[in-house]
């Protein structure tokens, strides 16, 4: 039996990275009983973000009211991340990027059969290495190292290709009433919002076959 999981997320959402790990645990727990196909779809937490991004401290202060509050929230995420094997290092992140190009590359990666690898590489680059994943050259180097064809990535980013993917993602989110990510759609029947526990994913997998 096949399972399809559509994931709506943004690559600068730490809970999306945590949700990815928990989904992976659930998939590992069914141990090959079903073929699970995971597809990643774009969501922009900051649709009005300038192309060059902005200072992370400026952005977070504006969003949460103070830098101190932002640091408190970061500490909470770091603690949860450690329990999932993710070593968040927010001190390395100087900028909050525009994620349009990253989402376009995630779409391209699916066409080349390496979408999950590229999603993982983007999450790790931003959250653990502090890389600016809004910078085109940084993105091309990153995805090429992770296995995506460099020429294909560079050609796409220097064109308007896959811009419709962003619009399609927005429509998909609106269709499902998505206001926050991560958001998971299982076999187009069951939806889960947030970085759910592996057991919750397993329950949803089982419900598909009831």
């Amino acid at each position: 039996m096949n399972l399809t999981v559509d994931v709506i997320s943004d690559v600068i959402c730490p809970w999306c990275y945590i949700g990815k790990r928990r989904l992976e645990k659930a998939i590992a727990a069914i141990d090959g009983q079903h073929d699970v196909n995971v597809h990643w779809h774009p969501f922009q937490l900051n649709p009005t973000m300038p192309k060059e991004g902005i200072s992370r401290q400026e952005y977070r202060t504006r969003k949460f009211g103070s830098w101190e509050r932002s640091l408190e929230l970061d500490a909470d995420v770091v603690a949860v991340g450690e329990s999932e094997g993710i070593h968040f290092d927010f001190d390395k992140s100087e900028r909050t990027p525009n994620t349009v190009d990253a989402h376009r590359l995630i779409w391209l990666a699916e066409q080349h059969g390496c979408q999950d690898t590229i999603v993982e590489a983007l999450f790790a680059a931003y959250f653990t290495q502090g890389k600016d994943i809004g910078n085109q050259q940084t993105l091309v180097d990153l995805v090429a190292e992770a296995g995506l064809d460099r020429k294909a990535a560079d050609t796409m980013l220097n064109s308007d290709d896959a811009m419709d993917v962003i619009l399609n993602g927005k429509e998909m989110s609106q269709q499902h009433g998505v206001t926050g990510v991560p958001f998971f759609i299982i076999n187009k029947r069951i939806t889960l919002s947030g970085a759910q526990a592996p057991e919750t994913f397993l329950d949803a997998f089982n419900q598909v076959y009831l």
Side-chain angles (χ1 to χ4, degrees), residues 193-209:
S193 180
Q196 300 287 341
E199 294 76 18
T200 304
F201 285 112
L202 289 171
D203 287 344
F205 294 165
N206 290 329
Q207 288 179 47
V208 168
Y209 298 109

Side-chain angles (χ1 to χ4, degrees), residues 93-126:
S93 297
E94 296 181 0
R95 300 190 70 72
T96 296
N98 179 302
T99 58
V100 167
D101 285 346
H103 286 305
R104 293 167 69 204
L105 286 170
I106 289 170
W107 172 85
L108 182 66
E110 184 167 35
Q111 317 314 304
H112 287 253
C114 58
Q115 189 180 51
D116 189 78
T117 303
I118 296 305
V119 170
E120 180 68 29
L122 288 165
F123 275 138
Y126 182 65

Side-chain angles (χ1 to χ4, degrees), residues 68-184:
E68 290 71 26
R69 178 57 180 157
S70 173
L71 293 176
E72 290 174 2
L73 294 170
D74 284 348
D76 292 341
V77 170
V78 168
V80 176
E82 288 295 331
S83 70
E84 300 295 342
I86 302 171
H87 305 296
F88 288 101
D89 194 343
F90 294 109
D91 289 342
K92 290 181 178 178
S93 297
E94 296 181 0
R95 300 190 70 72
T96 296
N98 179 302
T99 58
V100 167
D101 285 346
H103 286 305
R104 293 167 69 204
L105 286 170
I106 289 170
W107 172 85
L108 182 66
E110 184 167 35
Q111 317 314 304
H112 287 253
C114 58
Q115 189 180 51
D116 189 78
T117 303
I118 296 305
V119 170
E120 180 68 29
L122 288 165
F123 275 138
Y126 182 65
F127 286 117
T128 71
Q129 301 163 27
K131 292 186 178 180
D132 181 1
I133 59 171
N135 178 276
Q136 184 172 316
Q137 190 57 55
T138 298
L139 279 171
V140 172
D141 290 344
L142 174 65
V143 298
E145 186 176 334
L148 185 60
D149 182 79
R150 176 183 289 273
K151 184 176 180 180
D154 193 53
T155 298
M156 190 196 70
L157 291 183
N158 282 291
S159 72
D160 290 328
D161 290 352
M163 288 300 296
D164 60 332
V165 171
I166 307 300
L167 180 59
N168 293 342
K170 183 178 180 179
E171 291 175 351
M172 186 178 190
S173 293
Q174 290 173 341
Q175 176 186 348
H176 291 279
V178 178
T179 56
V181 287
F183 190 89
F184 304 87

